[in-house]
Amino acid sequence: MVDRLTGKPVFLDISDLPMKKGVVTNRNKFILGPSGSGKSFFTNHMVRQYWEQGTHILLVDTGNSYKGLCDLIRQKTNGDDGVYFTYQENDPISFNPFFTEDYRYDIEKRDSIKTLILTLWKREDEPPRRSEEVALSNAVSLYIEKIKKNRKIKPNFNSFYDFVRKDYRKVLADKNVREKDFDVDGFLNVLEPYYKNGEYGYLLNSDKELDLLNKRFIVFELDIVKDNPILFPVVTIIIMETFINKMRRLQGIRKMILIEEAWL
Ligand SMILES: Nc1ncnc2c1ncn2[C@@H]1O[C@H](COP(=O)(O)OP(=O)(O)O)[C@@H](O)[C@H]1O
Ligand SMILES: [Mg+2]
């Protein structure tokens, strides 16, 4: 849909009325227009202004529409802000959902780690049993206790995997947890591709000590990722967790999530 007089894309602030009525306190915008009508051009300017005013911005992009702006922000801040995640053959997309700058692992952070591991472990049509959920939950809690005490251990997927293989296996044996309640070897086998030299060993073991909570301009470029059935769900969870974490912990600061090509 384009404006018939100007040929420009149509910009709707769909929260204007509910906001005046006091029903909602956050704004939603929707930008419609055919390819080439200027949607990305307009949003680049809008997002830049929000950034200049102190807003935290998380962009989900396809087609590198925000690469230039992200580079500019990185330059302006001497590398302090402007984080760009993308998948390249020689530099695959990589995160560390286990890392926090301050070792704060609140309930939501633990939950998001659990959800992530569950997504890797089980298929969508294969819900975990209660006993498996409990076992995973305990594994995550005990792992966090361990890395909090021993700061030499790098929090990442690799050290979590090692923890389950060694320490947690003993815990389960001591408690006489039966294999049918939680099959450690089956679990380790399914998750092996995400460990060290596995096919996706890069995905959750980034050694960049990057706490996205304090970054105000973050771009997730999903052109290649969106067609990969393994990477896409994982990256989606990481994006949502990153934004929800900002909503929780940055109260009183404006945050914005922008999704390019939202139908993809
Ligand atoms: N208001 C404008 N003034 C000048 N050039 C524009 C304007 N809006 C868009 N363009 C140019 O038109 C082209 C397509 O715009 P783009 O924002 O990529 O479209 P869309 O995202 O809707 O597909 C780009 O090269 C952009 O620089
Ligand atoms: Mg565009």
Side-chain angles (χ1 to χ4, degrees), residues 211-225:
D211 193 345
L212 296 176
L213 181 67
N214 303 311
K215 303 294 175 188
R216 287 209 293 111
F217 196 85
I218 307 164
V219 182
F220 294 91
E221 215 304 323
L222 302 188
D223 248 1
I224 291 183
V225 168

Side-chain angles (χ1 to χ4, degrees), residues 8-9 31-45 65-66 260-261:
K8 299 263 164 55
I31 301 160
L32 285 164
S35 186
S37 60
K39 299 182 295 295
S40 302
F41 183 90
F42 167 73
T43 43
N44 259 278
H45 283 265
S65 306
Y66 301 94
E260 276 272 320
E261 319 275 323

Side-chain angles (χ1 to χ4, degrees), residues 1-66:
M1 188 160 82
V2 264
D3 188 303
R4 291 208 182 159
L5 286 174
T6 63
K8 299 263 164 55
V10 175
F11 171 82
L12 302 170
D13 189 332
I14 52 182
S15 49
D16 204 42
L17 193 64
M19 213 154 154
K20 278 180 189 143
K21 281 187 174 171
V23 184
V24 295
T25 54
N26 57 331
R27 283 192 178 273
N28 295 289
K29 302 177 196 338
F30 196 76
I31 301 160
L32 285 164
S35 186
S37 60
K39 299 182 295 295
S40 302
F41 183 90
F42 167 73
T43 43
N44 259 278
H45 283 265
M46 180 183 72
V47 157
R48 181 173 174 175
Q49 283 178 24
Y50 274 109
W51 183 80
E52 305 270 0
Q53 290 165 10
T55 303
H56 280 246
I57 297 149
L58 201 156
L59 287 150
V60 184
D61 190 12
T62 57
N64 292 302
S65 306
Y66 301 94

